[in-house]
Structures are given as C-alpha cells and as structure tokens.
Amino acid sequence: MKFTLTPGQLSYSDLNILLDETTTLELNENCFEDIFASEKTVADILLENKTTYGINTGFGSLARTQINSDELETLQHSLVLSHAAGTGELLSDQAVRLILALKINSLARGFSGVRLQTIQALIKLFNKNIYPCIPSQGSVGASGDLAPLAHLSAILLGVGEARHQGNIISAKKALEIAEIESLSLAPKEGLALLNGTQVSTSLSLLGLMAAEKAFVAAIIAGALSVDAAFGSAKPFDARIQEVRGHVSQISAAKMFRDLLHGSEILIAHHACGKVQDPYSLRCQPQVMGACLAHWFFACETLMTEANAVSDNPLVFPEQNEIISGGNFHAEPVAMAADTLALCIAEIGSLSERRIALLIDPNFSGLPPYLVNHAGVNSGFMIAQVTAASLASENKSLAHPASVDSIPTSANQEDHVSMATFAGRRLLPMAENTIGIVAIELLASCQGIDFRRPLKTSPLLEKIHAEVRKHIPFYEKDRYFAPDILAAKHLIHSGILQKITEISLSKI
C-alpha cells in the first residue's frame, strides 16, 4: 500500500503499516512549502555571513571554530564520515526501516534546513527496502544518536554498506538499486541527518510493540491459570478496583472478568471453602494495571518523540532565525524506555510465579509438575526453571539506563541520556517475557485439561483450542523445547489478541 506521510502526525497504529515492507512512502505535498522556506533561511544566513553553529562552525567543543565558505560542503561530508564510528552487531532491518521513517518524518516538518531532494533520497531507500548497515553500539543518546545516524547517512554519500533482501551490498550498489545519485550535502544537512533521537526512539517503539504482545498474552495466560488452579474471580470485582481509583487497574480487572465470564470451572468450586489465592493470582489487576498505566505513559512519550524535530540547531523561517538548543537530548526517551523495562520485567516475574504455583500440587491441586505418573515423568519441572532464568535475566536488564551519564566531546556534552541502550535492551527483555508467558500458556492449558470434563469460559476455550491445534496435551515426557517455541509463535502471531479482541490502543 502507499502511505502518505503528513509530517508530525504519525500515530501508534501507523507503525505496523510502516514496518510492512510492501508499504511505500510519499510525502503530503502540503509540507513542501515549509521545507523550501527552511532551506532558504539557511541560504539567507550564509549570504549575510552570520556565524551560526553547525552551518559555518565546527561541532561540539569545536563550535567556536569558524569555517570558510569554500569548505562548507567538506565540513558536512567530513562530519558524516568521522561520526560513523559505531561498533557491535548490526541493527535489524525492522529497526532501520523505522529509523528511516522517523528521520523522514522529522526532517520533512521544515525546521531542519534540509533540501527536499535529500529527504526524497531517504524515501527512495525506504521504498526500495534498502537498509543501511548500522552498528548497534556507539550512541549515548545526546547529542542525538550521532554514530548510528552517521552510518545511516553515509549511504547517501556512497560510503558504507546496506542490507537488501537479506544480503549485504555496497553503498554504490544500494544507490543504484534505489536510483539515487551520490549526494553532495548542502550546509547544515550533515548535522541535521546525524542529530536527532530517531534510533533511540525506534528501538524503544519496537520494544513498546513487543511489550503489548507480552501484556495481552500474560492477561490471557493469567486468566487461564485462575481456572486451572481453581482460583477465585472475586478479586476482579469492579467494586474493589473502583474504590482504589486507578483507571488502568480498573481496565485490567475488566479484562479478567471478560475472559473468565461463563466459566464452568468457576461455578464448580464456588463453595470450596478456599479463603484467598496467592498474590500472583489475586493481585493481577493491581500489578498488570500498573504495567498498563506505564505502558500508556511510554506510548505517549515515544509517539510524541516519533513526531518531534530533534536535531540542532533549528530553523525558524518565519522569524528568519536559526537557534541552537537541546532537542537532541533523549532523556524523555530514556526514561520512557526505563519505565517500559520495569513493566516488561514485572509481567514476566508475575507469570513465572503462576507457573511455579501450577506445578505445585499444594497450591494448585493439580498433579505434580502437571504430568501423570510424576517421578517417571518430570513434566513441567525444568520449563519452570527456564522461566525463572528468564525472569532473573530481565531483573538485571531492567536497571535504569537513564541514571548513568558519561561526559563526551571534551565536556561540552557533559550530561547524556543513554537512551539508545535503554531502548535497545527492550526487545531482548520482551522476548524473555514472551518466553515466560509461553510456558505459562502451556502450563495453564495443561491444568485446564486436568479439570475436564469441566470447561473454562467460552472465550478461554477458544484460546485452549488454538493452543491444542499446535501443541498436544503433555501426556508423558517428550522433547519440550518445540512446545515452547510453538507457544511463543502463537504470541508473536497476534492470534491470541485477535481471538480475545484485546488491544491496548483501543482502551
């Protein structure tokens, strides 16, 4: 499909469209006037021979160094090459695709002094699915994501490598495929391309999207675990949530009530005499509600940043001014990513505790380790150990990145955000949590099978049937890893969200 981008107006639902490689991008032509005005302002400043940071000066601690007019093109070219100093594994194609989209979105707002042809060159890379090779390490999240964005921009100069259809190709070949001539950068263009928070923001947004899948799957698995463990639905009563007042807790409790509505299992043990369930069952609205609230905070912050102009200096054509500020400082992104990391870790931590509860007959009333003939069979014993290891790993990764700062550029850039790492660790964390929840999904479905002939709710029976379509009942010990992989695939596929119609963007 063709996506018409109105700069500064991307929504969360647009992200999946942009990440689809069949999508091609075009600019809303209404933005052209602002782009041209911004470019003209830079030209006017040069004609007036005004000393302006990043246009006719050096960069960082070299800002006081005046650059001669005949060296301005060399200045921008050298900036890109010298700053392409990243290291580590390459960012994924999905990450680079989103980075390209966000960089185009920012530059096209018309506050960066970049020519339309330069923006169109980035669009051609996007539309041809050409992804510059960007090392994942080397940015401290201020002054913007300099090193990774330099690797992105170097392709336009015919330098570096790109990935296309899974193959790494030279910059020259990439430009040929995209039908782009190697660019000579105009004044300020190199700086505008390199400055900005698009790498940190894209990595964090990918983490945000993965966290939504983990959250929804954990709500579903948690509801199944309530029935599998003969738990009570009373803790999900709307009155309990309303007197506390947290909107997201109220929403989370309603999700559980909707999922468990009509359960035969709940009715069957209604008068069992059990007084209270362990916290991992009973306090799900409180914990998951808190995670939901902070997911929304992160979503709002990151989507604001996705639409932001975050390079420096900024061009204001109406006043014919170029002003140096600090929008490149990615502290909002870092803090949002840190908050999201806590949510991802807690979703997994709570899920792991429910797995431990289900395999323990003292709490669940189910066969030990959820298998017949325990002793000969070990059942879910080591699957729970795997979940525990993943939860522990996330606890270390959840340490806030934004509390760290190391001065750079001869102390000119004396406080930085570390947003790039804050965002980059989110996907591995989400993958860990999805692994934990996948194991709980298997365990809770196993528990439901042991409650037969009683049935859970109609909605959860659909989930159970979908799981059993791909993963059979664990009758006796078998090679376990493929079951976990299949359950993870169900979570990643979005089928669980489709069946239950739970979508965080619709709340």
Side-chain angles (χ1 to χ4, degrees):
M1 64 173 291
K2 184 169 285 187
F3 183 90
T4 301
L5 173 65
T6 300
Q9 294 187 24
L10 282 178
S11 67
Y12 179 68
S13 60
D14 290 334
L15 299 182
N16 275 318
I17 299 171
L18 291 170
L19 287 168
D20 185 340
E21 289 196 325
T22 65
T23 299
T24 57
L25 186 64
E26 66 177 9
L27 289 177
N28 184 329
E29 292 185 5
N30 291 337
C31 74
F32 288 3
E33 185 178 341
D34 292 334
I35 294 170
F36 295 145
S38 179
E39 178 191 348
K40 184 178 182 300
T41 301
V42 174
D44 290 345
I45 293 289
L46 286 170
L47 284 173
E48 295 168 16
N49 201 29
K50 287 184 179 178
T51 300
T52 307
Y53 173 72
I55 295 177
N56 51 14
T57 72
F59 306 104
S61 64
L62 300 174
R64 295 185 181 89
T65 304
Q66 183 78 27
I67 307 299
N68 295 328
S69 58
D70 61 351
E71 295 181 303
L72 296 183
E73 183 181 318
T74 302
L75 174 70
Q76 300 298 319
H77 188 91
S78 298
L79 174 72
V80 173
L81 299 185
S82 66
H83 283 48
T87 189
E89 294 183 8
L90 298 180
L91 294 179
S92 69
D93 289 354
Q94 289 272 280
V96 179
R97 184 173 179 83
L98 191 53
I99 293 164
L100 278 167
L102 297 195
K103 180 51 92 172
I104 293 162
N105 187 40
S106 178
L107 296 179
R109 285 190 59 186
F111 295 99
S112 303
V114 173
R115 296 169 298 168
L116 179 60
Q117 70 185 80
T118 302
I119 300 171
Q120 295 285 18
L122 293 172
I123 291 173
K124 286 181 178 180
L125 292 178
F126 182 93
N127 288 344
K128 292 290 187 178
N129 300 330
I130 294 170
Y131 307 118
C133 291
I134 303 177
S136 58
Q137 295 171 296
S139 173
V140 294
S143 162
D145 294 311
L146 293 171
L149 288 174
H151 284 277
L152 179 97
S153 306
I155 292 295
L156 300 178
L157 310 181
V159 177
E161 294 179 319
R163 203 153 40 200
H164 179 60
Q165 298 178 345
N167 300 311
I168 292 180
I169 58 176
S170 68
K172 182 180 178 182
K173 182 65 176 176
L175 295 179
E176 285 177 9
I177 295 170
E179 299 177 349
I180 303 170
E181 294 288 331
S182 178
L183 291 183
S184 295
L185 297 177
K188 195 186 178 299
E189 286 194 323
L191 187 57
L193 287 165
L194 269 57
N195 246 191
T197 63
Q198 287 78 32
V199 175
S200 301
T201 306
S202 295
L203 293 173
S204 298
L205 283 169
L206 291 174
L208 182 80
M209 297 168 79
E212 179 180 8
K213 288 184 177 181
F215 178 92
V216 173
I219 290 280
I220 294 166
L224 280 165
S225 291
V226 169
D227 262 2
F230 268 12
S232 172
K234 288 181 180 178
F236 311 136
D237 190 299
R239 293 167 294 180
I240 296 173
Q241 328 309 323
E242 286 164 5
V243 296
R244 195 176 198 188
H246 291 296
V247 175
S248 293
Q249 178 181 324
I250 292 168
S251 296
K254 185 178 184 304
M255 292 177 196
F256 286 109
R257 291 198 304 275
D258 291 346
L259 287 168
L260 287 162
H261 180 71
S263 167
E264 292 180 9
I265 295 174
L266 281 178
I267 297 169
H269 70 89
H270 182 71
C272 66
K274 204 175 186 180
V275 179
Q276 286 186 333
D277 293 324
Y279 290 176
S280 60
L281 296 178
R282 188 178 7 141
C283 298
Q284 288 186 85
Q286 289 75 18
V287 177
M288 297 301 281
C291 292
L292 182 59
H294 289 95
W295 186 92
F296 280 123
F297 158 74
C299 185
E300 181 182 0
T301 300
L302 295 174
M303 286 313 303
T304 297
E305 195 69 17
N307 286 301
V309 182
S310 56
D311 61 289
N312 184 64
L314 296 179
V315 180
F316 297 94
E318 287 188 14
Q319 297 81 26
N320 199 39
E321 280 191 83
I322 299 178
I323 305 174
S324 186
N327 280 2
F328 52 71
H329 200 299
E331 194 79 356
V333 178
M335 288 188 171
D338 282 345
T339 301
L340 197 55
L342 297 177
C343 298
I344 293 169
E346 280 298 274
I347 292 167
S349 178
L350 195 67
S351 177
E352 183 279 324
R353 287 292 80 206
R354 291 192 296 269
I355 299 166
L357 181 152
L358 289 172
I359 65 173
D360 186 344
N362 296 311
F363 284 101
S364 68
L366 295 166
Y369 300 110
L370 299 173
V371 70
N372 289 316
H373 202 18
V376 172
N377 293 311
S378 296
F380 281 68
M381 180 188 293
I382 303 305
Q384 185 269 329
V385 173
T386 296
S389 74
L390 295 174
S392 179
E393 193 172 300
N394 273 356
K395 290 173 187 177
S396 296
L397 289 170
H399 185 278
S402 60
V403 298
D404 185 32
S405 179
I406 297 177
T408 61
S409 193
N411 281 313
Q412 174 74 7
E413 297 160 6
D414 58 351
H415 182 277
V416 298
S417 70
M418 300 300 178
T420 323
F421 171 69
R424 179 161 53 85
R425 50 75 195 267
L426 293 178
L427 268 183
M429 287 187 70
E431 191 63 21
N432 286 344
T433 289
I434 286 170
I436 297 167
V437 176
I439 294 168
E440 185 190 0
L441 191 63
L442 296 173
S444 58
C445 284
Q446 186 81 355
I448 295 295
D449 284 326
F450 278 119
R451 299 300 184 190
R452 297 302 190 209
L454 294 173
K455 291 184 177 181
T456 183
S457 71
L459 201 51
L460 291 177
E461 283 293 336
K462 289 181 181 178
I463 295 292
H464 180 275
E466 185 65 31
V467 172
R468 286 290 172 254
K469 191 190 299 182
H470 304 278
I471 308 153
F473 176 73
Y474 198 90
E475 184 67 41
K476 60 181 181 179
D477 281 348
R478 62 174 182 255
Y479 190 38
F480 209 125
D483 290 6
I484 299 172
L485 194 62
K488 287 176 67 175
H489 178 73
L490 284 175
I491 296 171
H492 280 297
S493 71
I495 187 66
L496 304 184
Q497 288 172 285
K498 187 176 180 181
I499 291 171
T500 58
E501 297 184 351
I502 298 175
S503 172
L504 303 192
S505 60
K506 293 179 181 178
I507 295 174

